Amino acid sequence: MAAMNLGAEQMPFEPNALYRVLHFRIDTADKAAKRAKWAGGQMFNLLTGQSAHFVPLYGTHVRQVLSWAGQNVPGGIAPADRYELRLDYAKLAYKALRAKFDQPK
């Protein structure tokens, strides 16, 4: 059962779903950045594994985000592996998706 669930998590997102996932992940990173300004927030980020500079994604989704961000997608990104994608690339893809769907900021 776990193998089926893992496979489903690695399926490519439809653009609207990718937009929603990026919205959540970017918001989480932005909140981590605000918390990182004080020692208690830094400890919280450390304990929860939240980063102010990276968003966690499976390889399949990293490829999608890089494509939407207008970047070259390097070979060797394994779909089943988890990666930490730089926040600036996630924001570029989010901006492109927002323009596609005519979403306000």
Side-chain angles (χ1 to χ4, degrees), residues 19-90:
Y19 175 80
R20 291 190 314 265
V21 167
L22 287 177
H23 180 84
F24 174 76
R25 298 284 167 90
I26 290 168
D27 182 62
T28 301
D30 288 344
K31 287 178 181 170
K34 289 178 185 173
R35 278 193 305 271
K37 294 178 182 174
W38 64 287
Q42 291 172 5
M43 181 60 71
F44 181 87
N45 289 345
L46 181 65
L47 292 172
T48 60
Q50 294 181 4
S51 172
H53 306 288
F54 297 94
V55 295
L57 294 168
Y58 280 106
T60 300
H61 307 131
V62 168
R63 293 169 93 39
Q64 287 184 287
V65 169
L66 291 175
S67 291
W68 277 100
Q71 302 297 312
N72 291 328
V73 179
I77 297 177
D81 289 348
R82 296 279 290 181
Y83 295 92
E84 296 286 323
L85 181 70
R86 281 183 18 197
L87 182 60
D88 58 335
Y89 289 133

Side-chain angles (χ1 to χ4, degrees), residues 8-19 21 57 60-61 64:
E9 290 177 351
Q10 297 167 19
M11 294 296 296
F13 288 123
E14 294 293 325
N16 193 33
L18 182 61
Y19 175 80
V21 167
L57 294 168
T60 300
H61 307 131
Q64 287 184 287

Side-chain angles (χ1 to χ4, degrees), residues 15-20 23 93-105:
N16 193 33
L18 182 61
Y19 175 80
R20 291 190 314 265
H23 180 84
Y94 182 75
K95 183 178 176 182
L97 286 159
R98 187 176 66 227
K100 174 182 173 55
F101 296 120
D102 244 358
Q103 295 290 320
K105 284 188 175 182

